[in-house]
Amino acid sequence: MSEFRTAIVTGSTSGIGLAIAHALARAGHAVMMNGFGDPAEIEAERAAMEIETGAPIAFNGADLSDFGQIDALVAETTEIFGQVDIVVNNAGIQTVSAIEDFPIDRYNQIMAVNMTSAWYLCRATFGPMKARRWGRVINIASAHGLVASPYKSAYVMAKHALVGLTKTLALEGAEAGVTANAICPGYVRTPLVERQIPETAKARGISEDAVIRDVLLAAQPTKRFVHPGQIGALAAFLCSPAASEITGASLPVDGGWTAQ
Ligand code: NAD
């Protein structure tokens, strides 16, 4: 069977997901993009990626907090590309708040998008992957899937859960050629991180410059942000034949954060 597969990358209209979509397309895989944003900008991004890589790229704007829309995402991907071989659960949101003030609606939304949608999308695609005896699940967890920080209770819960899902699916797919791995990035300067700088400043009572220096980069011994393309490159590697024996792993790309 061809080494070129078809992938769904959730939350690929921005940041890390967009970089993963690019990396998979550059490796020759067909990609279904997903996420929110301005329709004209998404279409421009999709068309440019198709021209740059030569891989077929489609887009479906499913809201992953709605199971019905995840079903429609899988159905449309199958209709366009024939099957789903690679699932990258990347979409994620964040709220920074002390637990006693944590808004309930944000807790529910973080759990739905960062955790439950990954379980549901795997539920919808794992059986056919096993039946075809090839599949890749890549869960974009976080350093916060391995260690905690204060004021991120919902996010840290959801990311630890993704690591648990990864291990479980690795065992369920082990004899059927389906691998499941988590990538655990440290801080990557995407819109998700930009938005939490003022929230963290408020929660900790410090300036935004101090958040970047003393909170974000303080966590990373390299004192550098991780680049989105570095996460994309690892995702593409995990889909390559060389990675077929890597499964159930949680792979930090965090400048040494979780080594401490
Ligand atoms: P981002 O805000 O740039 O992108 C998030 C993407 O998710 C966007 O495409 C957005 O439209 C999509 N999305 C959000 N809610 C959605 C919903 N309900 N349905 C469908 N799509 C939805 O963020 P990012 O930094 O690129 O984060 C991507 C992933 O990487 C997240 O899971 C995040 O937790 C994880 N992560 C990020 C960092 C970091 O430092 N940026 C570090 C570790 C892990």
PDB file of all heavy atoms in Angstrom, residues 7-12 14-27 29 31 33 49 86-91 138-140 183 185 228-236 239:
ATOM      1  N   ALA A   7      -5.280  12.368   6.146  1.00  0.00           N
ATOM      2  CA  ALA A   7      -5.222  12.811   7.539  1.00  0.00           C
ATOM      3  C   ALA A   7      -6.307  13.825   7.850  1.00  0.00           C
ATOM      4  O   ALA A   7      -6.606  14.702   7.026  1.00  0.00           O
ATOM      5  CB  ALA A   7      -3.862  13.448   7.816  1.00  0.00           C
ATOM      6  N   ILE A   8      -6.866  13.712   9.050  1.00  0.00           N
ATOM      7  CA  ILE A   8      -7.658  14.813   9.621  1.00  0.00           C
ATOM      8  C   ILE A   8      -6.761  15.481  10.665  1.00  0.00           C
ATOM      9  O   ILE A   8      -6.229  14.805  11.555  1.00  0.00           O
ATOM     10  CB  ILE A   8      -8.937  14.307  10.314  1.00  0.00           C
ATOM     11  CG1 ILE A   8      -9.914  13.704   9.292  1.00  0.00           C
ATOM     12  CG2 ILE A   8      -9.609  15.444  11.093  1.00  0.00           C
ATOM     13  CD1 ILE A   8     -11.180  13.098   9.929  1.00  0.00           C
ATOM     14  N   VAL A   9      -6.596  16.800  10.552  1.00  0.00           N
ATOM     15  CA  VAL A   9      -5.846  17.557  11.562  1.00  0.00           C
ATOM     16  C   VAL A   9      -6.822  18.560  12.168  1.00  0.00           C
ATOM     17  O   VAL A   9      -7.209  19.537  11.513  1.00  0.00           O
ATOM     18  CB  VAL A   9      -4.631  18.290  10.963  1.00  0.00           C
ATOM     19  CG1 VAL A   9      -3.835  18.977  12.081  1.00  0.00           C
ATOM     20  CG2 VAL A   9      -3.736  17.326  10.187  1.00  0.00           C
ATOM     21  N   THR A  10      -7.238  18.319  13.413  1.00  0.00           N
ATOM     22  CA  THR A  10      -8.202  19.242  14.016  1.00  0.00           C
ATOM     23  C   THR A  10      -7.490  20.530  14.430  1.00  0.00           C
ATOM     24  O   THR A  10      -6.300  20.532  14.751  1.00  0.00           O
ATOM     25  CB  THR A  10      -8.912  18.617  15.242  1.00  0.00           C
ATOM     26  OG1 THR A  10      -7.973  18.460  16.311  1.00  0.00           O
ATOM     27  CG2 THR A  10      -9.545  17.280  14.893  1.00  0.00           C
ATOM     28  N   GLY A  11      -8.242  21.621  14.398  1.00  0.00           N
ATOM     29  CA  GLY A  11      -7.669  22.911  14.795  1.00  0.00           C
ATOM     30  C   GLY A  11      -6.484  23.311  13.945  1.00  0.00           C
ATOM     31  O   GLY A  11      -5.484  23.803  14.459  1.00  0.00           O
ATOM     32  N   SER A  12      -6.603  23.125  12.613  1.00  0.00           N
ATOM     33  CA  SER A  12      -5.444  23.373  11.744  1.00  0.00           C
ATOM     34  C   SER A  12      -5.576  24.678  10.959  1.00  0.00           C
ATOM     35  O   SER A  12      -4.917  24.858   9.946  1.00  0.00           O
ATOM     36  CB  SER A  12      -5.209  22.181  10.819  1.00  0.00           C
ATOM     37  OG  SER A  12      -6.406  21.758  10.217  1.00  0.00           O
ATOM     38  N   SER A  14      -4.742  27.435  12.439  1.00  0.00           N
ATOM     39  CA  SER A  14      -3.881  28.353  13.193  1.00  0.00           C
ATOM     40  C   SER A  14      -2.740  27.571  13.839  1.00  0.00           C
ATOM     41  O   SER A  14      -2.829  26.357  14.011  1.00  0.00           O
ATOM     42  CB  SER A  14      -4.751  29.016  14.286  1.00  0.00           C
ATOM     43  OG  SER A  14      -3.965  29.755  15.203  1.00  0.00           O
ATOM     44  N   GLY A  15      -1.683  28.270  14.176  1.00  0.00           N
ATOM     45  CA  GLY A  15      -0.649  27.777  15.081  1.00  0.00           C
ATOM     46  C   GLY A  15      -0.073  26.405  14.753  1.00  0.00           C
ATOM     47  O   GLY A  15       0.358  26.126  13.628  1.00  0.00           O
ATOM     48  N   ILE A  16      -0.051  25.557  15.775  1.00  0.00           N
ATOM     49  CA  ILE A  16       0.586  24.237  15.664  1.00  0.00           C
ATOM     50  C   ILE A  16      -0.134  23.357  14.647  1.00  0.00           C
ATOM     51  O   ILE A  16       0.498  22.665  13.846  1.00  0.00           O
ATOM     52  CB  ILE A  16       0.615  23.572  17.062  1.00  0.00           C
ATOM     53  CG1 ILE A  16       1.553  24.355  18.005  1.00  0.00           C
ATOM     54  CG2 ILE A  16       1.044  22.116  16.967  1.00  0.00           C
ATOM     55  CD1 ILE A  16       1.473  23.927  19.468  1.00  0.00           C
ATOM     56  N   GLY A  17      -1.458  23.367  14.664  1.00  0.00           N
ATOM     57  CA  GLY A  17      -2.231  22.523  13.739  1.00  0.00           C
ATOM     58  C   GLY A  17      -1.945  22.873  12.294  1.00  0.00           C
ATOM     59  O   GLY A  17      -1.810  21.987  11.438  1.00  0.00           O
ATOM     60  N   LEU A  18      -1.841  24.159  12.012  1.00  0.00           N
ATOM     61  CA  LEU A  18      -1.539  24.599  10.646  1.00  0.00           C
ATOM     62  C   LEU A  18      -0.155  24.095  10.236  1.00  0.00           C
ATOM     63  O   LEU A  18       0.033  23.618   9.112  1.00  0.00           O
ATOM     64  CB  LEU A  18      -1.611  26.135  10.585  1.00  0.00           C
ATOM     65  CG  LEU A  18      -1.420  26.788   9.224  1.00  0.00           C
ATOM     66  CD1 LEU A  18      -2.428  26.280   8.199  1.00  0.00           C
ATOM     67  CD2 LEU A  18      -1.529  28.316   9.363  1.00  0.00           C
ATOM     68  N   ALA A  19       0.798  24.157  11.154  1.00  0.00           N
ATOM     69  CA  ALA A  19       2.153  23.667  10.855  1.00  0.00           C
ATOM     70  C   ALA A  19       2.140  22.151  10.633  1.00  0.00           C
ATOM     71  O   ALA A  19       2.855  21.637   9.769  1.00  0.00           O
ATOM     72  CB  ALA A  19       3.105  24.025  11.996  1.00  0.00           C
ATOM     73  N   ILE A  20       1.312  21.433  11.397  1.00  0.00           N
ATOM     74  CA  ILE A  20       1.218  19.976  11.207  1.00  0.00           C
ATOM     75  C   ILE A  20       0.582  19.669   9.847  1.00  0.00           C
ATOM     76  O   ILE A  20       1.055  18.786   9.118  1.00  0.00           O
ATOM     77  CB  ILE A  20       0.403  19.328  12.350  1.00  0.00           C
ATOM     78  CG1 ILE A  20       1.161  19.457  13.679  1.00  0.00           C
ATOM     79  CG2 ILE A  20       0.096  17.854  12.037  1.00  0.00           C
ATOM     80  CD1 ILE A  20       0.349  19.031  14.905  1.00  0.00           C
ATOM     81  N   ALA A  21      -0.470  20.410   9.504  1.00  0.00           N
ATOM     82  CA  ALA A  21      -1.110  20.193   8.194  1.00  0.00           C
ATOM     83  C   ALA A  21      -0.084  20.390   7.082  1.00  0.00           C
ATOM     84  O   ALA A  21       0.011  19.574   6.148  1.00  0.00           O
ATOM     85  CB  ALA A  21      -2.294  21.153   8.032  1.00  0.00           C
ATOM     86  N   HIS A  22       0.710  21.455   7.172  1.00  0.00           N
ATOM     87  CA  HIS A  22       1.748  21.720   6.165  1.00  0.00           C
ATOM     88  C   HIS A  22       2.745  20.569   6.102  1.00  0.00           C
ATOM     89  O   HIS A  22       3.112  20.108   5.017  1.00  0.00           O
ATOM     90  CB  HIS A  22       2.514  23.002   6.515  1.00  0.00           C
ATOM     91  CG  HIS A  22       1.939  24.231   5.887  1.00  0.00           C
ATOM     92  ND1 HIS A  22       2.160  24.583   4.585  1.00  0.00           N
ATOM     93  CD2 HIS A  22       1.123  25.184   6.393  1.00  0.00           C
ATOM     94  CE1 HIS A  22       1.523  25.705   4.295  1.00  0.00           C
ATOM     95  NE2 HIS A  22       0.879  26.098   5.387  1.00  0.00           N
ATOM     96  N   ALA A  23       3.196  20.103   7.271  1.00  0.00           N
ATOM     97  CA  ALA A  23       4.233  19.060   7.302  1.00  0.00           C
ATOM     98  C   ALA A  23       3.693  17.750   6.717  1.00  0.00           C
ATOM     99  O   ALA A  23       4.398  17.066   5.966  1.00  0.00           O
ATOM    100  CB  ALA A  23       4.712  18.848   8.733  1.00  0.00           C
ATOM    101  N   LEU A  24       2.445  17.394   7.049  1.00  0.00           N
ATOM    102  CA  LEU A  24       1.869  16.153   6.503  1.00  0.00           C
ATOM    103  C   LEU A  24       1.667  16.289   4.992  1.00  0.00           C
ATOM    104  O   LEU A  24       1.938  15.347   4.234  1.00  0.00           O
ATOM    105  CB  LEU A  24       0.541  15.827   7.193  1.00  0.00           C
ATOM    106  CG  LEU A  24       0.628  15.455   8.683  1.00  0.00           C
ATOM    107  CD1 LEU A  24      -0.748  15.080   9.225  1.00  0.00           C
ATOM    108  CD2 LEU A  24       1.601  14.307   8.923  1.00  0.00           C
ATOM    109  N   ALA A  25       1.222  17.468   4.551  1.00  0.00           N
ATOM    110  CA  ALA A  25       1.011  17.675   3.112  1.00  0.00           C
ATOM    111  C   ALA A  25       2.348  17.625   2.369  1.00  0.00           C
ATOM    112  O   ALA A  25       2.446  17.030   1.289  1.00  0.00           O
ATOM    113  CB  ALA A  25       0.299  19.006   2.879  1.00  0.00           C
ATOM    114  N   ARG A  26       3.374  18.208   2.982  1.00  0.00           N
ATOM    115  CA  ARG A  26       4.703  18.154   2.347  1.00  0.00           C
ATOM    116  C   ARG A  26       5.203  16.719   2.232  1.00  0.00           C
ATOM    117  O   ARG A  26       5.947  16.379   1.320  1.00  0.00           O
ATOM    118  CB  ARG A  26       5.719  19.020   3.107  1.00  0.00           C
ATOM    119  CG  ARG A  26       5.708  20.473   2.655  1.00  0.00           C
ATOM    120  CD  ARG A  26       6.964  21.201   3.124  1.00  0.00           C
ATOM    121  NE  ARG A  26       7.021  21.259   4.567  1.00  0.00           N
ATOM    122  CZ  ARG A  26       6.507  22.239   5.318  1.00  0.00           C
ATOM    123  NH1 ARG A  26       5.921  23.264   4.732  1.00  0.00           N
ATOM    124  NH2 ARG A  26       6.590  22.207   6.629  1.00  0.00           N
ATOM    125  N   ALA A  27       4.778  15.867   3.183  1.00  0.00           N
ATOM    126  CA  ALA A  27       5.161  14.444   3.126  1.00  0.00           C
ATOM    127  C   ALA A  27       4.282  13.680   2.134  1.00  0.00           C
ATOM    128  O   ALA A  27       4.452  12.472   1.966  1.00  0.00           O
ATOM    129  CB  ALA A  27       5.058  13.827   4.523  1.00  0.00           C
ATOM    130  N   HIS A  29       0.806  13.480   2.161  1.00  0.00           N
ATOM    131  CA  HIS A  29      -0.495  13.012   2.642  1.00  0.00           C
ATOM    132  C   HIS A  29      -1.597  14.017   2.292  1.00  0.00           C
ATOM    133  O   HIS A  29      -1.394  15.235   2.359  1.00  0.00           O
ATOM    134  CB  HIS A  29      -0.467  12.828   4.160  1.00  0.00           C
ATOM    135  CG  HIS A  29       0.646  11.933   4.636  1.00  0.00           C
ATOM    136  ND1 HIS A  29       0.738  10.608   4.260  1.00  0.00           N
ATOM    137  CD2 HIS A  29       1.713  12.165   5.444  1.00  0.00           C
ATOM    138  CE1 HIS A  29       1.819  10.070   4.826  1.00  0.00           C
ATOM    139  NE2 HIS A  29       2.424  10.998   5.541  1.00  0.00           N
ATOM    140  N   VAL A  31      -4.825  16.066   3.260  1.00  0.00           N
ATOM    141  CA  VAL A  31      -5.160  16.624   4.578  1.00  0.00           C
ATOM    142  C   VAL A  31      -6.547  17.254   4.572  1.00  0.00           C
ATOM    143  O   VAL A  31      -6.870  18.057   3.689  1.00  0.00           O
ATOM    144  CB  VAL A  31      -4.124  17.691   5.013  1.00  0.00           C
ATOM    145  CG1 VAL A  31      -4.541  18.351   6.332  1.00  0.00           C
ATOM    146  CG2 VAL A  31      -2.729  17.077   5.155  1.00  0.00           C
ATOM    147  N   MET A  33      -8.302  19.864   6.657  1.00  0.00           N
ATOM    148  CA  MET A  33      -8.113  20.899   7.683  1.00  0.00           C
ATOM    149  C   MET A  33      -9.424  21.094   8.435  1.00  0.00           C
ATOM    150  O   MET A  33     -10.507  20.785   7.928  1.00  0.00           O
ATOM    151  CB  MET A  33      -7.727  22.237   7.045  1.00  0.00           C
ATOM    152  CG  MET A  33      -6.416  22.256   6.302  1.00  0.00           C
ATOM    153  SD  MET A  33      -6.189  23.836   5.435  1.00  0.00           S
ATOM    154  CE  MET A  33      -6.022  24.993   6.794  1.00  0.00           C
ATOM    155  N   MET A  49      -1.561  25.947   0.320  1.00  0.00           N
ATOM    156  CA  MET A  49      -0.928  24.698   0.778  1.00  0.00           C
ATOM    157  C   MET A  49      -0.991  23.636  -0.317  1.00  0.00           C
ATOM    158  O   MET A  49      -0.031  22.897  -0.545  1.00  0.00           O
ATOM    159  CB  MET A  49      -1.647  24.194   2.038  1.00  0.00           C
ATOM    160  CG  MET A  49      -0.812  23.245   2.874  1.00  0.00           C
ATOM    161  SD  MET A  49      -1.737  22.520   4.255  1.00  0.00           S
ATOM    162  CE  MET A  49      -2.264  23.954   5.148  1.00  0.00           C
ATOM    163  N   ILE A  86      -4.999   8.830   9.270  1.00  0.00           N
ATOM    164  CA  ILE A  86      -4.239   9.565  10.296  1.00  0.00           C
ATOM    165  C   ILE A  86      -5.185  10.551  10.978  1.00  0.00           C
ATOM    166  O   ILE A  86      -5.879  11.307  10.290  1.00  0.00           O
ATOM    167  CB  ILE A  86      -3.078  10.367   9.651  1.00  0.00           C
ATOM    168  CG1 ILE A  86      -2.105   9.446   8.912  1.00  0.00           C
ATOM    169  CG2 ILE A  86      -2.350  11.216  10.697  1.00  0.00           C
ATOM    170  CD1 ILE A  86      -1.126  10.173   7.974  1.00  0.00           C
ATOM    171  N   VAL A  87      -5.228  10.502  12.300  1.00  0.00           N
ATOM    172  CA  VAL A  87      -6.005  11.487  13.062  1.00  0.00           C
ATOM    173  C   VAL A  87      -5.045  12.256  13.953  1.00  0.00           C
ATOM    174  O   VAL A  87      -4.333  11.662  14.766  1.00  0.00           O
ATOM    175  CB  VAL A  87      -7.095  10.802  13.914  1.00  0.00           C
ATOM    176  CG1 VAL A  87      -7.667  11.776  14.936  1.00  0.00           C
ATOM    177  CG2 VAL A  87      -8.201  10.268  13.016  1.00  0.00           C
ATOM    178  N   VAL A  88      -5.017  13.568  13.784  1.00  0.00           N
ATOM    179  CA  VAL A  88      -4.216  14.420  14.668  1.00  0.00           C
ATOM    180  C   VAL A  88      -5.187  15.257  15.503  1.00  0.00           C
ATOM    181  O   VAL A  88      -5.858  16.155  14.981  1.00  0.00           O
ATOM    182  CB  VAL A  88      -3.262  15.335  13.878  1.00  0.00           C
ATOM    183  CG1 VAL A  88      -2.394  16.145  14.850  1.00  0.00           C
ATOM    184  CG2 VAL A  88      -2.377  14.529  12.934  1.00  0.00           C
ATOM    185  N   ASN A  89      -5.297  14.889  16.776  1.00  0.00           N
ATOM    186  CA  ASN A  89      -6.161  15.639  17.686  1.00  0.00           C
ATOM    187  C   ASN A  89      -5.356  16.803  18.231  1.00  0.00           C
ATOM    188  O   ASN A  89      -4.582  16.651  19.183  1.00  0.00           O
ATOM    189  CB  ASN A  89      -6.639  14.720  18.817  1.00  0.00           C
ATOM    190  CG  ASN A  89      -7.634  13.691  18.323  1.00  0.00           C
ATOM    191  OD1 ASN A  89      -8.666  14.049  17.760  1.00  0.00           O
ATOM    192  ND2 ASN A  89      -7.327  12.416  18.512  1.00  0.00           N
ATOM    193  N   ASN A  90      -5.536  17.949  17.587  1.00  0.00           N
ATOM    194  CA  ASN A  90      -4.718  19.126  17.935  1.00  0.00           C
ATOM    195  C   ASN A  90      -5.529  20.284  18.505  1.00  0.00           C
ATOM    196  O   ASN A  90      -4.988  21.066  19.282  1.00  0.00           O
ATOM    197  CB  ASN A  90      -3.976  19.587  16.670  1.00  0.00           C
ATOM    198  CG  ASN A  90      -3.404  20.976  16.840  1.00  0.00           C
ATOM    199  OD1 ASN A  90      -2.357  21.156  17.460  1.00  0.00           O
ATOM    200  ND2 ASN A  90      -4.116  21.987  16.344  1.00  0.00           N
ATOM    201  N   ALA A  91      -6.796  20.395  18.136  1.00  0.00           N
ATOM    202  CA  ALA A  91      -7.569  21.577  18.563  1.00  0.00           C
ATOM    203  C   ALA A  91      -7.519  21.712  20.072  1.00  0.00           C
ATOM    204  O   ALA A  91      -7.609  20.723  20.805  1.00  0.00           O
ATOM    205  CB  ALA A  91      -9.013  21.463  18.096  1.00  0.00           C
ATOM    206  N   ILE A 138      -2.285  10.800  16.558  1.00  0.00           N
ATOM    207  CA  ILE A 138      -1.317  11.707  17.194  1.00  0.00           C
ATOM    208  C   ILE A 138      -2.111  12.709  18.014  1.00  0.00           C
ATOM    209  O   ILE A 138      -2.912  13.486  17.467  1.00  0.00           O
ATOM    210  CB  ILE A 138      -0.449  12.428  16.141  1.00  0.00           C
ATOM    211  CG1 ILE A 138       0.310  11.397  15.292  1.00  0.00           C
ATOM    212  CG2 ILE A 138       0.526  13.387  16.824  1.00  0.00           C
ATOM    213  CD1 ILE A 138       1.082  11.978  14.126  1.00  0.00           C
ATOM    214  N   ASN A 139      -1.935  12.629  19.318  1.00  0.00           N
ATOM    215  CA  ASN A 139      -2.628  13.551  20.211  1.00  0.00           C
ATOM    216  C   ASN A 139      -1.672  14.669  20.608  1.00  0.00           C
ATOM    217  O   ASN A 139      -0.599  14.404  21.163  1.00  0.00           O
ATOM    218  CB  ASN A 139      -3.121  12.802  21.455  1.00  0.00           C
ATOM    219  CG  ASN A 139      -4.217  11.812  21.105  1.00  0.00           C
ATOM    220  OD1 ASN A 139      -5.065  12.100  20.263  1.00  0.00           O
ATOM    221  ND2 ASN A 139      -4.196  10.648  21.727  1.00  0.00           N
ATOM    222  N   ILE A 140      -2.059  15.890  20.315  1.00  0.00           N
ATOM    223  CA  ILE A 140      -1.218  17.020  20.726  1.00  0.00           C
ATOM    224  C   ILE A 140      -1.611  17.349  22.167  1.00  0.00           C
ATOM    225  O   ILE A 140      -2.607  18.040  22.416  1.00  0.00           O
ATOM    226  CB  ILE A 140      -1.382  18.230  19.788  1.00  0.00           C
ATOM    227  CG1 ILE A 140      -1.112  17.807  18.323  1.00  0.00           C
ATOM    228  CG2 ILE A 140      -0.428  19.339  20.230  1.00  0.00           C
ATOM    229  CD1 ILE A 140       0.240  17.147  18.056  1.00  0.00           C
ATOM    230  N   ILE A 183       2.277  14.069  21.445  1.00  0.00           N
ATOM    231  CA  ILE A 183       3.361  15.049  21.396  1.00  0.00           C
ATOM    232  C   ILE A 183       3.067  16.074  22.492  1.00  0.00           C
ATOM    233  O   ILE A 183       1.931  16.540  22.625  1.00  0.00           O
ATOM    234  CB  ILE A 183       3.452  15.729  20.016  1.00  0.00           C
ATOM    235  CG1 ILE A 183       3.742  14.677  18.924  1.00  0.00           C
ATOM    236  CG2 ILE A 183       4.532  16.806  20.017  1.00  0.00           C
ATOM    237  CD1 ILE A 183       3.811  15.241  17.511  1.00  0.00           C
ATOM    238  N   PRO A 185       4.209  19.505  23.576  1.00  0.00           N
ATOM    239  CA  PRO A 185       5.013  20.714  23.370  1.00  0.00           C
ATOM    240  C   PRO A 185       5.145  21.543  24.636  1.00  0.00           C
ATOM    241  O   PRO A 185       4.234  21.573  25.473  1.00  0.00           O
ATOM    242  CB  PRO A 185       4.211  21.508  22.318  1.00  0.00           C
ATOM    243  CG  PRO A 185       3.185  20.560  21.778  1.00  0.00           C
ATOM    244  CD  PRO A 185       2.927  19.560  22.876  1.00  0.00           C
ATOM    245  N   PRO A 228       6.440  26.132  15.785  1.00  0.00           N
ATOM    246  CA  PRO A 228       5.372  25.221  15.336  1.00  0.00           C
ATOM    247  C   PRO A 228       5.851  24.178  14.329  1.00  0.00           C
ATOM    248  O   PRO A 228       5.410  23.024  14.353  1.00  0.00           O
ATOM    249  CB  PRO A 228       4.335  26.157  14.688  1.00  0.00           C
ATOM    250  CG  PRO A 228       4.602  27.509  15.266  1.00  0.00           C
ATOM    251  CD  PRO A 228       6.061  27.556  15.643  1.00  0.00           C
ATOM    252  N   GLY A 229       6.779  24.570  13.453  1.00  0.00           N
ATOM    253  CA  GLY A 229       7.281  23.642  12.443  1.00  0.00           C
ATOM    254  C   GLY A 229       7.996  22.442  13.051  1.00  0.00           C
ATOM    255  O   GLY A 229       8.048  21.362  12.451  1.00  0.00           O
ATOM    256  N   GLN A 230       8.529  22.623  14.254  1.00  0.00           N
ATOM    257  CA  GLN A 230       9.209  21.500  14.918  1.00  0.00           C
ATOM    258  C   GLN A 230       8.199  20.450  15.379  1.00  0.00           C
ATOM    259  O   GLN A 230       8.508  19.254  15.395  1.00  0.00           O
ATOM    260  CB  GLN A 230      10.047  22.025  16.089  1.00  0.00           C
ATOM    261  CG  GLN A 230      11.177  22.931  15.600  1.00  0.00           C
ATOM    262  CD  GLN A 230      11.922  23.622  16.723  1.00  0.00           C
ATOM    263  OE1 GLN A 230      11.331  24.083  17.702  1.00  0.00           O
ATOM    264  NE2 GLN A 230      13.232  23.722  16.570  1.00  0.00           N
ATOM    265  N   ILE A 231       7.005  20.891  15.727  1.00  0.00           N
ATOM    266  CA  ILE A 231       5.939  19.936  16.084  1.00  0.00           C
ATOM    267  C   ILE A 231       5.430  19.252  14.811  1.00  0.00           C
ATOM    268  O   ILE A 231       5.190  18.040  14.787  1.00  0.00           O
ATOM    269  CB  ILE A 231       4.771  20.645  16.812  1.00  0.00           C
ATOM    270  CG1 ILE A 231       5.283  21.514  17.974  1.00  0.00           C
ATOM    271  CG2 ILE A 231       3.739  19.626  17.277  1.00  0.00           C
ATOM    272  CD1 ILE A 231       5.982  20.778  19.079  1.00  0.00           C
ATOM    273  N   GLY A 232       5.302  20.035  13.737  1.00  0.00           N
ATOM    274  CA  GLY A 232       4.861  19.464  12.460  1.00  0.00           C
ATOM    275  C   GLY A 232       5.816  18.385  11.976  1.00  0.00           C
ATOM    276  O   GLY A 232       5.392  17.311  11.524  1.00  0.00           O
ATOM    277  N   ALA A 233       7.108  18.652  12.092  1.00  0.00           N
ATOM    278  CA  ALA A 233       8.108  17.684  11.616  1.00  0.00           C
ATOM    279  C   ALA A 233       8.015  16.376  12.394  1.00  0.00           C
ATOM    280  O   ALA A 233       8.125  15.282  11.829  1.00  0.00           O
ATOM    281  CB  ALA A 233       9.507  18.282  11.742  1.00  0.00           C
ATOM    282  N   LEU A 234       7.782  16.462  13.705  1.00  0.00           N
ATOM    283  CA  LEU A 234       7.669  15.239  14.508  1.00  0.00           C
ATOM    284  C   LEU A 234       6.393  14.469  14.137  1.00  0.00           C
ATOM    285  O   LEU A 234       6.409  13.237  14.036  1.00  0.00           O
ATOM    286  CB  LEU A 234       7.691  15.572  16.005  1.00  0.00           C
ATOM    287  CG  LEU A 234       7.549  14.390  16.970  1.00  0.00           C
ATOM    288  CD1 LEU A 234       8.571  13.289  16.688  1.00  0.00           C
ATOM    289  CD2 LEU A 234       7.670  14.876  18.422  1.00  0.00           C
ATOM    290  N   ALA A 235       5.314  15.193  13.912  1.00  0.00           N
ATOM    291  CA  ALA A 235       4.063  14.522  13.512  1.00  0.00           C
ATOM    292  C   ALA A 235       4.269  13.777  12.193  1.00  0.00           C
ATOM    293  O   ALA A 235       3.830  12.627  12.039  1.00  0.00           O
ATOM    294  CB  ALA A 235       2.931  15.544  13.399  1.00  0.00           C
ATOM    295  N   ALA A 236       4.949  14.414  11.244  1.00  0.00           N
ATOM    296  CA  ALA A 236       5.190  13.761   9.950  1.00  0.00           C
ATOM    297  C   ALA A 236       6.066  12.525  10.146  1.00  0.00           C
ATOM    298  O   ALA A 236       5.828  11.468   9.542  1.00  0.00           O
ATOM    299  CB  ALA A 236       5.841  14.747   8.979  1.00  0.00           C
ATOM    300  N   CYS A 239       4.261   9.499  11.257  1.00  0.00           N
ATOM    301  CA  CYS A 239       3.458   8.867  10.203  1.00  0.00           C
ATOM    302  C   CYS A 239       4.326   8.115   9.198  1.00  0.00           C
ATOM    303  O   CYS A 239       3.805   7.506   8.263  1.00  0.00           O
ATOM    304  CB  CYS A 239       2.627   9.921   9.477  1.00  0.00           C
ATOM    305  SG  CYS A 239       1.412  10.707  10.556  1.00  0.00           S
TER     306      CYS A 239
END
